[in-house]
Amino acid sequence: TIEKAEKLGIMTARLPIDDHLKLVATKVLTVNHVFEILLKYRQHGNDWKKSLLDVLPQRKDITEVESNKDEDGKNESELGSA
């Protein structure tokens, strides 16, 4: 679990699914899907949306989320922490 990882000092990260897509189905992914998304991310020039759309199965009922980036390319959520 994430709690155990944090307790042990293991770094964790979350894929930015909510920033780019809306899933009707569960966001639980197989290790194979996560690994393939990371590979596609590099292949697509660090494009999360394209990587996620390429890998996630259609049964997840995916809807694209409108980008909320400003003119500098930062998400609105990142602006407060800059």
Side-chain angles (χ1 to χ4, degrees):
T1 65
I2 189 136
E3 293 85 15
K4 187 172 183 178
E6 289 172 352
K7 189 176 180 179
L8 295 171
I10 299 170
M11 289 183 11
T12 62
R14 181 184 300 255
L15 292 173
I17 296 171
D18 291 335
D19 294 345
H20 303 284
L21 305 174
K22 180 179 177 187
L23 303 180
V24 174
T26 179
K27 293 179 197 161
V28 176
L29 302 175
T30 65
V31 172
N32 291 347
H33 282 136
V34 173
F35 190 74
E36 190 173 352
I37 289 167
L38 294 173
L39 288 175
K40 293 284 186 179
Y41 176 72
R42 295 303 301 254
Q43 290 174 353
H44 291 312
N46 302 341
D47 185 335
W48 282 116
K49 184 181 279 190
K50 189 168 184 176
S51 304
L52 292 164
L53 288 171
D54 277 2
V55 175
L56 293 177
Q58 291 300 317
R59 68 178 179 272
K60 294 279 187 188
D61 198 13
I62 301 165
T63 305
E64 291 186 47
V65 171
E66 289 295 320
S67 177
N68 59 348
K69 292 187 177 187
D70 69 357
E71 60 275 359
D72 295 328
K74 291 186 178 181
N75 286 330
E76 291 175 6
S77 61
E78 294 173 349
L79 295 175
S81 61

